[in-house]
Amino acid sequence: MKHLEETPWWICDKDDINYCAYVDTDSNYFNAEPILLHLYPNFEEFSDKEKDSKLEGVALAYQDIITDHYDNLAKECFNVLEHRLEMKTECVIRSAYFRATRRYAQWITKQEGIEKEILDIKGLEFMKANFPPILGEFFNDILQQVLKGEEKDNIIEKIKVFKKRIIYGDISIKQLGNPTSVKKLEKYSGTKARAGEMFTEILKGAPAPVRAAIRYNDLLKLWQLDRKHNLITMADKVKWVYLKDNPYKIEALAFFDYDMPNKIKDFLDKYANRKKVFDSILLNKLEGFFSDLQWPLDLNPYKNDFNFFEI
């Protein structure tokens, strides 16, 4: 949170440390570890439940201190003696990840004094409708493991295994396609294929999903499958993937996961660019996540193969 990294002088002195981790509309999140270590030098030896209770105790104490201070604030700033200003402890968070405003994940273990076990995740990219669910589930699993303290090397190993499943075809293309709703199909469709031509003209500026949808319709007509299977039309919910080099020089292809002709399936199984699916969708998000954690992300499968050599 860039606006929290540079604290104005009227909030705290230049050499003071700002322990505020995140600010929302009506909530403030603070890193309590320094004060807990000060109050309890053996804090790290406590069980997780003991840590949660100690943290809650500190939060409740500061809640009362701030609420009392609101009396001065109301009198000096608003010239009133009676007010409804109150600070209230909302929850105890064992660990959290704050990506940006309203984009975060937090492991809540106590809420209003009641023990909980809640993973509250809001606004992160993998939750968007255009993110393949199977990749979103994997990212969610990695996120949860990080919040619960899993070792970095174990996390990276799980990513490597999942990447292999994508690359070597253990996960179907139906599951890896980008979900989207087709828009502006007519706007970017140019001249229809004429005698001696295979494909419709795609006008300049067409987004990749639109290009992919136009080419799907072209292939259905070329292979005379359009009488048995639906063409993609405006507002249809489809999926699409990038392709490797293929005889038709098609860059991307859309499809219905509930109505896929065998010939389209075979074509996708052979030419879908699985590596690009991983790199452009999942790896992109993982790199941002690891960068925030200040962890290096090296997925080289041969990284440790030559450790026995001495130089």
Side-chain angles (χ1 to χ4, degrees), residues 6-17:
E6 298 180 1
T7 311
W9 63 266
W10 61 85
I11 294 179
C12 62
D13 294 333
K14 182 179 179 181
D15 296 328
D16 287 347
I17 298 174

Side-chain angles (χ1 to χ4, degrees), residues 137-183:
E137 290 166 10
F138 177 77
F139 194 105
N140 182 64
D141 182 54
I142 292 296
L143 174 61
Q144 291 189 29
Q145 290 180 52
V146 169
L147 290 177
K148 293 187 175 182
E150 184 61 82
E151 295 291 330
K152 176 190 67 177
D153 290 343
N154 293 338
I155 297 287
I156 291 177
E157 192 57 37
K158 288 175 182 178
I159 295 172
K160 288 180 180 178
V161 170
F162 190 70
K163 179 181 179 180
K164 285 182 180 179
R165 290 184 60 207
I166 292 175
I167 300 299
Y168 295 118
D170 294 338
I171 300 174
S172 73
I173 284 299
K174 286 185 179 181
Q175 293 176 286
L176 296 175
N178 274 307
T180 189
S181 177
V182 179
K183 299 175 182 178

Side-chain angles (χ1 to χ4, degrees), residues 181-211:
S181 177
V182 179
K183 299 175 182 178
K184 301 180 181 179
L185 192 61
E186 297 300 325
K187 176 180 178 180
Y188 291 107
S189 297
T191 306
K192 303 292 183 183
R194 293 167 291 193
E197 298 178 341
M198 289 189 294
F199 296 141
T200 302
E201 176 191 14
I202 297 177
L203 301 182
K204 186 176 180 180
V210 173
R211 302 171 69 90

Side-chain angles (χ1 to χ4, degrees), residues 35-64:
I35 196 168
L36 288 167
L37 290 173
H38 174 75
L39 294 172
Y40 311 101
N42 61 332
F43 181 74
E44 295 298 343
E45 298 173 11
F46 295 162
S47 68
D48 287 338
K49 285 193 175 182
E50 288 176 316
K51 290 179 179 179
D52 292 342
S53 294
K54 298 295 185 186
L55 172 55
E56 184 180 42
V58 168
L60 291 171
Y62 273 89
Q63 159 191 300
D64 295 339

Side-chain angles (χ1 to χ4, degrees), residues 302-311:
Y302 308 108
K303 179 180 178 181
N304 299 318
D305 285 5
F306 304 102
N307 285 350
F308 56 85
F309 285 107
E310 293 185 3
I311 299 177

